[in-house]
Amino acid sequence: MATLQGLDRGLRALELVSLTSEGLTVADLAARLEIDRAIAYRIVRTLEEHGLVARQGKRVRLGAGAATLAGRFQQQLVLAAQPVLQELADATGTSAFLTVAHGVRECVPVAGAQPTVQHGPVQVGYRIGVRHPLERGANGVAILALQPPVPGESEEVALAREQGYSVTSGQLQQGATGIAAGFEVAGAAGASVGVVAMHTFDIEPVAARVKEAAARLASLGGA
């Protein structure tokens, strides 16, 4: 299928800039895109006009417009995720949740669903919008497992990376067990979908449901 060369180059340039926290020079972009420096300069100027990049000295970094688009995407993701979360909650009899990374050290639940029919005497009410460290809770561990291994990482993260899902107990709420699976999402360091309950349940079949939900959400615009 034919593509628009200029648009393709602009999007590729934007992606390259997004991957480097220190930014890129116009010369860097020209080299990586294998184009003339004058063309790279025009691409940067066009992206600047739309607020998608900003120049600080000689380096080009993401602009406020990129953050605005990412925020709108996350809002759309929350809306699209709601039926997936409800299906997951009903299928597992647990509280289901969607969590997005907040920076590089924290994560925040942004949506949740309760099962239509309550299972067990106590139902966990997940606190939407309350941030917590990535290292605590199945949702954060699942997000960390999306990243390459690093020295000193916890066994929980390594195991989650191997299994494709994380399991934690009592880390965010005493007596609660959580299962989560991570997926890539635009505009964030990662996201996860999972369940949490106070009652006991079979880990493997629930984990399979959670991983299926993560795959569905990833297809909505994540990886």
Side-chain angles (χ1 to χ4, degrees), residues 4-218:
L4 294 173
Q5 186 181 60
L7 178 59
D8 179 69
R9 286 173 171 172
L11 293 174
R12 287 168 58 200
L14 188 61
E15 181 180 13
L16 288 171
V17 170
S18 73
L19 294 173
T20 56
S21 59
E22 69 275 11
L24 295 173
T25 66
V26 173
D28 291 333
L29 281 174
R32 297 191 187 191
L33 294 172
E34 298 181 342
I35 58 176
D36 186 81
R37 191 176 302 187
I39 296 175
Y41 178 79
R42 289 200 297 271
I43 290 173
V44 169
R45 284 290 300 142
T46 301
L47 294 174
E48 274 188 305
E49 286 293 322
H50 293 276
L52 297 174
V53 301
R55 276 185 288 182
Q56 297 177 341
K58 292 184 177 181
R59 293 198 168 271
V60 181
R61 293 182 171 86
L62 286 180
T68 300
L69 288 177
R72 290 172 182 168
F73 171 80
Q74 289 188 23
Q75 291 174 1
Q76 293 175 355
L77 176 64
V78 168
L79 291 175
Q82 207 61 56
V84 177
L85 293 175
Q86 192 62 59
E87 287 180 28
L88 180 60
D90 289 337
T92 60
T94 64
S95 301
F97 53 85
L98 169 68
T99 301
V100 175
H102 182 80
V104 296
R105 296 184 177 180
E106 294 181 315
C107 59
V108 56
V110 294
Q114 301 292 333
T116 304
V117 178
Q118 182 170 321
H119 293 239
V122 179
Q123 200 72 47
V124 178
Y126 217 78
R127 299 177 66 188
I128 302 303
V130 178
R131 300 197 302 266
H132 64 81
L134 285 169
E135 294 82 6
R136 294 184 59 202
N139 51 355
V141 171
I143 292 172
L144 286 175
L146 295 171
Q147 303 169 12
V150 295
E153 72 178 9
S154 70
E155 293 182 5
E156 287 179 332
V157 174
L159 183 59
R161 187 181 296 112
E162 178 183 340
Q163 295 183 148
Y165 64 90
S166 62
V167 182
T168 63
S169 294
Q171 292 192 356
L172 296 178
Q173 184 171 340
Q174 186 175 3
T177 296
I179 302 177
F183 62 98
E184 302 291 343
V185 61
S192 66
V193 61
V195 299
V196 62
M198 300 295 288
H199 60 271
T200 59
F201 47 79
D202 292 332
I203 298 295
E204 291 190 6
V206 173
R209 292 274 191 177
V210 169
K211 290 172 66 176
E212 178 186 3
R216 290 174 63 187
L217 293 175

